[in-house]
């Protein structure tokens, strides 16, 4: 490859990385905004629950402390017992509902902290410059949103589908370590490869050829396609599950 071609590829990679970083930054900002709005709503529900709970506790206290009239019949006593039981039940239910809201608020605050940490970490992430196609074949379904033909609903695709021949050989898109090999819901069998600052999911496989923990090189055999499609997903290691990015601009043909 000529020096000019190498320079062009380097410039393209720099621009692609800048674009990816901006997209990731935007995703994280959007996620933070959603978390903030949700946390505000949950905190408001907690405040409303506290008002209701205070009123309920006062009413329950009056019921529980109300003395029985002198010479109360067994029917009166049973009715009073039912009122006390109902008051305790309502107080317990309010306490349980409030605890659920407080737990949700705690989880949202934790998620907000993770988002802040992920945003701070973003400049230090080493984004991939290229990955090999895991299989020979054209792209049948692309990354991003699409309209479902029948329902017209907006669907989000987090990876690529390749059109392949039956039982096509599938290979590793980059050097990495096998972190998972087995069934993936809706994607037949699959493999999760750890590449350091990112990981890939290669799925819609039938036969698998690699064990958990195996160290692989780009192009090493992973297994065979289950049918006529193979799935590739690429996630940047930010946050608990990573953030998916479009692998297509990074694809190189198998060696």
């Amino acid at each position: 490859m000529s020096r000019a071609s190498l320079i062009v590829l380097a410039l393209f990679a720099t621009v692609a990385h800048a674009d990816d970083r901006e997209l990731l930054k935007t995703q994280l900002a959007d996620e933070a905004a959603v978390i903030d709005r949700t946390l505000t709503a949950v905190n408001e529900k907690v405040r409303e629950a506290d008002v209701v709970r205070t009123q309920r506790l006062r009413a329950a206290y009056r019921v529980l402390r109300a003395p029985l009239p002198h010479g109360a019949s067994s029917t009166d006593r049973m009715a009073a017992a039912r009122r006390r039981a109902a008051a305790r039940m309502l107080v317990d239910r309010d306490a349980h509902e409030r605890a659920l809201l407080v737990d949700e608020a705690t989880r949202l605050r934790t998620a907000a902290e993770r988002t802040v940490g992920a945003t701070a970490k973003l400049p230090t992430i080493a984004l991939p410059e290229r990955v090999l196609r895991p299989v020979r074949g054209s792209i049948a379904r692309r990354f991003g949103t699409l309209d479902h033909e029948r329902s017209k609903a907006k669907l989000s695709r987090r990876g690529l589908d390749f059109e392949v021949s039956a039982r096509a050989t599938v290979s590793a898109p980059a050097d990495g370590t096998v972190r998972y090999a087995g069934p993936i819901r809706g994607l037949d069998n699959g493999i999760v490869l750890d590449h350091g600052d990112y990981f890939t999911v290669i799925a819609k496989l039938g036969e698998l050829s690699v064990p958990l923990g195996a160290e692989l090189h780009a192009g090493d055999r992973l297994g065979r396609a289950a049918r006529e499609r193979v799935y590739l997903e690429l996630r940047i290691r930010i946050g608990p599950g990573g953030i998916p990015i479009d692998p297509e601009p990074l694809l190189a043909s198998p060696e």
Side-chain angles (χ1 to χ4, degrees):
M1 183 178 292
S2 68
R3 179 179 174 80
S5 297
L6 289 172
I7 292 173
V8 170
L9 285 176
L11 289 172
F12 176 79
T14 301
V15 172
H17 285 182
D19 289 345
D20 283 339
R21 286 188 199 280
E22 283 303 312
L23 286 172
L24 290 168
K25 186 177 179 181
T26 299
Q27 284 181 262
L28 289 168
D30 290 345
E31 182 179 335
V34 170
I35 292 171
D36 184 63
R37 288 196 300 270
T38 307
L39 181 57
T40 298
V42 171
N43 284 335
E44 181 59 30
K45 288 181 180 179
V46 171
R47 285 191 289 270
E48 292 172 356
D50 284 341
V51 172
V52 171
R53 185 166 179 264
T54 299
Q55 295 171 346
R56 196 98 69 186
L57 282 171
R58 289 172 179 166
Y61 182 80
R62 289 195 295 271
V63 169
L64 294 174
R65 298 289 295 176
L68 286 171
H70 181 71
S73 66
S74 59
T75 301
D76 292 335
R77 293 180 184 278
M78 288 179 62
R82 284 195 294 269
R83 287 195 297 272
R84 292 190 181 105
R88 291 191 184 97
M89 182 188 70
L90 289 173
V91 169
D92 289 344
R93 188 192 67 184
D94 289 343
H96 177 68
E97 291 178 352
R98 185 186 188 280
L100 290 176
L101 289 169
V102 170
D103 180 64
E104 184 178 357
T106 300
R107 287 187 284 106
L108 285 167
R109 282 191 286 270
T110 300
E113 291 171 2
R114 282 200 303 261
T115 304
V116 170
T119 303
K121 183 181 177 182
L122 182 56
T124 68
I125 292 287
L127 298 177
E129 294 187 0
R130 75 163 193 168
V131 294
L132 294 181
R133 289 174 177 260
V135 69
R136 294 186 183 277
S138 59
I139 296 175
R141 292 179 178 173
R142 287 183 157 78
F143 179 93
T145 57
L146 61 105
D147 294 319
H148 191 270
E149 292 180 5
R150 293 183 180 177
S151 67
K152 305 303 180 185
K154 286 281 186 184
L155 303 179
S156 178
R157 292 191 55 79
R158 297 177 176 179
L160 305 176
D161 267 339
F162 294 89
E163 193 80 38
V164 301
S165 57
R167 292 183 55 77
T169 299
V170 183
S171 57
D175 297 352
T177 304
V178 178
R179 297 302 184 198
Y180 177 80
I184 298 177
R185 181 178 295 181
L187 294 173
D188 299 304
N189 287 324
I191 291 172
V192 177
L193 287 177
D194 184 346
H195 309 285
D197 281 348
Y198 71 98
F199 55 93
T200 54
V201 180
I202 305 93
K204 297 191 176 179
L205 308 181
E207 162 196 334
L208 300 178
S209 303
V210 293
L212 192 66
E215 299 286 343
L216 302 179
H217 295 292
D220 284 352
R221 186 174 183 273
L222 300 178
R224 292 187 180 277
R227 286 177 287 280
E228 286 76 35
R229 292 281 174 90
V230 169
Y231 179 76
L232 171 66
E233 185 174 316
L234 192 156
R235 285 178 171 262
I236 304 302
R237 192 184 291 280
I238 295 178
I243 297 179
I245 65 170
D246 187 0
E248 187 173 357
L250 308 175
L251 290 178
S253 298
E255 302 281 341

